[in-house]
Each structure stands twice: as C-alpha cells, then as structure tokens.
Amino acid sequence: MPTRRNFIQKAAIATLGGALFPQITEAANPQLATTAAGPTILFQGDSITDAGRDKASYYPNDASGMDTGYVHHIVTHLLGSMPEQGLRCYNRGISGHKVFQLADRWDDDCLQLKPDVLSILIGVNDYWHSLGGGYKGTVETYETDFRKLMERTKKALPETKLIVCEPFAVAGGTAIDDRWKDFTAYRMAAKSIAKDFGAVFVPFQSMFEEALKVAPAAYWCPDGVHPSLAGAYLMKEAWLRAFSKL
Amino acid sequence: MPTRRNFIQKAAIATLGGALFPQITEAANPQLATTAAGPTILFQGDSITDAGRDKASYYPNDASGMDTGYVHHIVTHLLGSMPEQGLRCYNRGISGHKVFQLADRWDDDCLQLKPDVLSILIGVNDYWHSLGGGYKGTVETYETDFRKLMERTKKALPETKLIVCEPFAVAGGTAIDDRWKDFTAYRMAAKSIAKDFGAVFVPFQSMFEEALKVAPAAYWCPDGVHPSLAGAYLMKEAWLRAFSKL
C-alpha cells in the first residue's frame, strides 16, 4: 500500500538519474561509499535544513551529518534509489542563518564543493529576526542579498543546476501570528529569483496549505517553521518532484 | 522521477490505511500531534532499530526518539502519507539486545503500549555475541526464547498484527567473516517463527543480497550489520511492502 516500488523500478529510476548526470556511466565500485566522485548535491539553508546535524560530520552521505530533517529523507531516497550514481550529498545548513550569513561562508560551504546540484532554502530568519530580534534587514535586503549570492554562484559555477525552495510559514504554528502576512513578500522574492536564475522552484508554502486541509499545523509543522516528521515527508516528496524537473 | 506520488494519491493511501484500521474514522483534530489515540505501531529490536535514538524521548512520533535508522524512515513515511490515522509510532529498540533482553523489558516496552502493529527485528546479537563475546546462547536458545516471547505476546495481545523482520548479515561487511554462514540457522528460525505465529515476514537478507549486485556492502551496510542511509532506504521499502500485506 504505501509503496509500489521494487528493485527493478529502482533500476529504472537510476537510469533516469543517468540522464540527469550523463557523465556517470561506470557501475559502483567497492570504494563507492567513501571515495567515488559521483555528482555532488549540496543542501544550503538555515535550521530547517540543519535540523540539528552534527557539524563535525561534514563528509558526504553520513547519517549524523544529515540529522532528521527533510534533507535526511531526500538524501536517503537518492542514495537508496540511485546506487549506481555514486552521489555525494552534503548538508551545510546552519541554524539561525539569513542570506548574508550564507554569503559569509559561501566559499567554504558551497563554491569549493562544486555541487552539480545546489538546493537553497533560506528566508524565514531574514523576516523572523526582524520582528523585535534587533535585526534591521527588510525584504529588499533579503532579495538584494539573495540575488547577489545567486550571481556569485552562477559566475563561479555556471554548470550547477539550481533548486530554490520557497521559505514558508505554516498558519496555526505556535510561532506564527498576524504579522507573518508580511512574509509573503519574501516568498514572492524567492520565487522571482528562482525564475530569473533558471532555478527549479519548490513551492513549500502551497504544499503546507494543502496539507492543512487534512491535518493541523501541530501535525505538519508545530511552530509553523520547523517541520515534524510528517512535514519533512511532504517536503521530501515536493523536493523530489522538483529534482525530477532538472 | 524519484516519485510519482502526489497529495491526491496520498489520500488514496490513507484510505487503504483506513481499511487496515477501520476503527479510525474521524478526521484529524488540532490535538492530533500529541494526544489523539490512533493505531499504535511499535518497533522492537537491537541497535539496528535503536539507531542511536534519544532514550529520553519516548513519546510517539518524535524525531529524536527515532533517530536515523530504518524506523525513522518508515515512521516518517507512515505519518506523512496517512495523516488522517492519528498513528502513534514508538521505537523501543535497544542497542546490543538479544531476545532474552527483549523479554526482560517486554511488559514496559511492548505489552503496556498495546500496539496494533508490532514489528520485531532481533537476532544478530544472539549470534554475534556468541563469537568470543562470552555469551553462551545457541540458535536453539534464540528460537526457544523467541517463540516464548511470541506466545506471551499473542496471549496478552491477541489482536495485534505481527511483523517479524529477518535478521541479516551482509557479506563483505567489515564485521562479517566465514563464521557467519552459521547465522543462516538464526534467519531460518525467524522465518519459521513468523510463519507459525501468523506474522508477515520481511526478507531483509535476500533484499541485501539483491542490492549487492548493484553496489558493495560498503554502500548498503558497511559493517554488514548496521545499514547506511542507502541500506535504511531499502529496509524501509521492504518493510512497507510487508506492512501492506497486514
């Protein structure tokens, strides 16, 4: 019931992956888990991406380096369903970060990794921390900084495929109040940036709004910002749909 | 590419779940995440089930109480795809345990939870710890203890649906040597017990053997006992197939 996939179908999925990464044609080898240089997928963002990962575990594909958020589920799916690819998946989200903090560590935490696919989910702190947290940034700051970061990335890594995830605020979450209607402008900015830079956009906001018809925020995303296991599942599914469009 | 599911299909899956648990007919309510009493699913076992979970987080559906093993992925899938069910999922695996240690804590860690579905993966330590570790148990000890545990469970919880997972040893894993051919008898005992007690059996050994045709043990299960993220993905998929047969 919950799945119809089997190993044969996984092989078909891996073939599709081969179309995405045509440079990878060799079968897996015994060193695959630690040394094979397959395509690199990098996840960047804030606490939603971080999800409490062990920062000391910065090697690719390591469980404790992913922890228990949406990235963990995406990476597990990719590694499990595309074993021939030799994928190298990195999580470099850091809790609390805004766009300018991604920019501060972009050389170390993005450019030097030379990702084939870069996924970014950023923006909730750019707004949240301006609500009495002493941070003075506005939506213009967010959009300007984000565009600069994308331009810098495009220049350094012109071949990298981009996924821009929509920052979201789930109504009914304990941290979300009426002020969060202003967060819509941040979401629109992210969508506009995705379009302008040829990135695939992952519409997390509408996804959660659809999910709220079935169960409340407490089920999907208790504070409105950080997903539950069930919310992480939805994020994984939506991200994989976006990934399939690359 | 990696998924064709969408929210509509998830609703269909949830309906199937409704057939499995027909007593649950109400829609989710705002307290669902913490208090609704939907069907209970319990995972029992050793370190493979434990996966480093936070033992202090013993509430249902909590991410840190699942940690990063196969249980985490199964629970995330179930919660994400069956939001109407109000499922309560518990992980009670404890690293290093053998069958007699499950029996020692069975009242607290199984019977009082009154699971609607009980999944057990146990056996690798029953053999491993006999290889010079000072433990004197044999395959007869394993089978006798396991049958007693199942009889006790059937008597206390006659309505509980049972899933018996096959203990496995992945050839090529760093902890696996020639002596492990004797582990086959343990696997066969688990299969026999599954049959005799009307449990659905999850054939993890053949699943990993199939996976070894595509990538080495280092990719799926580096030490031959504890799965990687990719191995946990395969275990999740196999378990969900078994679950669909309940």
Side-chain angles (χ1 to χ4, degrees):
Chain A
M1 147 183 47
T3 176
R4 292 195 201 89
R5 277 179 244 129
N6 60 31
F7 209 78
I8 303 301
Q9 288 170 304
K10 272 180 216 122
I13 289 167
T15 303
L16 282 166
L20 176 61
F21 304 122
Q23 73 276 28
I24 304 299
T25 54
E26 296 160 49
N29 70 59
Q31 302 303 315
L32 184 65
T34 49
T35 62
T40 293
I41 302 180
L42 170 63
F43 296 86
Q44 265 292 1
D46 52 34
S47 58
I48 306 165
T49 301
D50 180 331
R53 69 183 175 90
D54 176 4
K55 306 296 187 297
S57 175
Y58 52 84
Y59 298 105
N61 305 348
D62 185 71
S64 61
M66 304 295 163
D67 213 77
T68 57
Y70 75 100
V71 174
H72 182 87
H73 296 288
I74 292 167
V75 169
T76 299
H77 184 102
L78 294 174
L79 293 175
S81 63
M82 300 180 180
E84 299 92 342
Q85 290 286 350
L87 294 176
R88 299 168 73 87
C89 301
Y90 295 90
N91 184 348
R92 288 290 185 273
I94 293 188
S95 188
H97 275 198
K98 296 173 272 290
V99 175
F100 78 86
Q101 289 154 315
L102 295 194
D104 285 347
R105 58 187 178 84
W106 209 240
D107 285 340
D108 283 334
D109 280 358
C110 176
L111 302 185
Q112 76 161 355
L113 292 168
K114 295 184 174 55
D116 297 279
V117 176
L118 168 63
S119 173
I120 306 181
L121 170 56
I122 196 76
V124 72
N125 296 313
D126 297 78
Y127 179 63
W128 203 356
H129 294 184
S130 75
L131 297 175
Y135 176 62
K136 302 295 184 192
T138 64
V139 66
E140 289 75 26
T141 314
Y142 172 71
E143 181 159 359
T144 303
D145 287 356
F146 203 166
R147 286 184 181 275
K148 278 186 192 164
L149 191 69
M150 294 294 271
E151 282 160 12
R152 182 174 160 199
T153 307
K154 275 280 191 188
K155 188 173 177 184
L157 304 169
E159 301 301 320
T160 297
K161 295 175 190 297
L162 301 170
I163 296 176
V164 170
C165 302
E166 183 178 27
F168 54 90
V170 182
T174 54
I176 308 303
D177 58 27
D178 285 349
R179 294 176 297 178
W180 283 78
K181 67 182 185 304
D182 295 338
F183 187 56
T184 303
Y186 290 72
R187 297 194 287 104
M188 294 301 100
K191 188 171 187 176
S192 168
I193 287 166
K195 186 179 176 201
D196 293 348
F197 287 86
V200 174
F201 183 68
V202 189
F204 282 142
Q205 183 69 34
S206 56
M207 178 201 79
F208 276 115
E209 287 172 5
E210 194 68 20
L212 288 176
K213 297 175 183 173
V214 185
Y219 189 79
W220 302 112
C221 193
D223 68 0
V225 174
H226 302 94
S228 64
L229 292 177
Y233 172 86
L234 297 186
M235 292 177 71
K236 176 202 74 168
E237 296 278 301
W239 191 97
L240 289 173
R241 282 192 291 275
F243 182 70
S244 72
K245 296 175 188 164
L246 284 179
Chain B
M1 148 184 46
T3 176
R4 292 194 200 89
R5 275 180 244 129
N6 59 31
F7 207 78
I8 302 302
Q9 288 170 305
K10 272 181 214 117
I13 288 167
T15 303
L16 282 166
L20 176 63
F21 304 121
Q23 73 275 29
I24 304 299
T25 54
E26 296 161 47
N29 69 59
Q31 302 303 315
L32 184 66
T34 49
T35 62
T40 293
I41 303 180
L42 170 63
F43 295 85
Q44 265 292 1
D46 52 34
S47 59
I48 305 164
T49 301
D50 180 331
R53 69 185 175 90
D54 175 4
K55 306 296 187 296
S57 175
Y58 52 84
Y59 298 105
N61 305 348
D62 186 70
S64 61
M66 304 295 164
D67 213 76
T68 57
Y70 76 98
V71 174
H72 182 87
H73 296 288
I74 291 167
V75 170
T76 299
H77 184 101
L78 295 174
L79 294 175
S81 64
M82 300 180 180
E84 298 93 342
Q85 290 286 351
L87 294 177
R88 299 168 72 88
C89 302
Y90 294 91
N91 184 349
R92 289 291 185 270
I94 294 187
S95 188
H97 275 199
K98 295 173 273 288
V99 175
F100 78 86
Q101 290 155 313
L102 294 195
D104 285 347
R105 58 188 179 85
W106 209 238
D107 285 340
D108 283 334
D109 280 358
C110 175
L111 302 185
Q112 76 160 356
L113 293 168
K114 295 185 173 54
D116 297 279
V117 176
L118 167 64
S119 173
I120 306 180
L121 170 56
I122 196 75
V124 72
N125 296 313
D126 297 78
Y127 179 63
W128 203 356
H129 295 184
S130 74
L131 297 176
Y135 176 62
K136 301 295 183 192
T138 64
V139 66
E140 288 75 24
T141 313
Y142 172 71
E143 181 160 357
T144 302
D145 287 356
F146 203 166
R147 285 184 182 276
K148 278 185 193 165
L149 191 69
M150 294 294 272
E151 282 160 13
R152 182 174 160 198
T153 306
K154 275 279 191 190
K155 188 172 177 185
L157 304 169
E159 302 301 320
T160 297
K161 295 175 190 296
L162 301 170
I163 296 176
V164 169
C165 301
E166 183 177 28
F168 55 89
V170 182
T174 54
I176 308 302
D177 58 26
D178 286 348
R179 294 175 297 179
W180 284 78
K181 67 182 185 304
D182 295 338
F183 187 56
T184 302
Y186 290 72
R187 296 195 287 104
M188 294 301 101
K191 188 171 187 175
S192 168
I193 287 166
K195 187 180 175 200
D196 293 348
F197 287 87
V200 173
F201 184 67
V202 190
F204 282 142
Q205 183 67 35
S206 56
M207 178 202 78
F208 276 115
E209 287 172 4
E210 193 67 20
L212 289 176
K213 296 175 184 173
V214 185
Y219 190 79
W220 301 113
C221 194
D223 67 0
V225 173
H226 301 93
S228 65
L229 291 177
Y233 172 87
L234 297 186
M235 292 177 71
K236 176 202 73 170
E237 296 278 300
W239 192 96
L240 290 172
R241 282 193 291 275
F243 181 70
S244 72
K245 295 174 188 165
L246 285 179

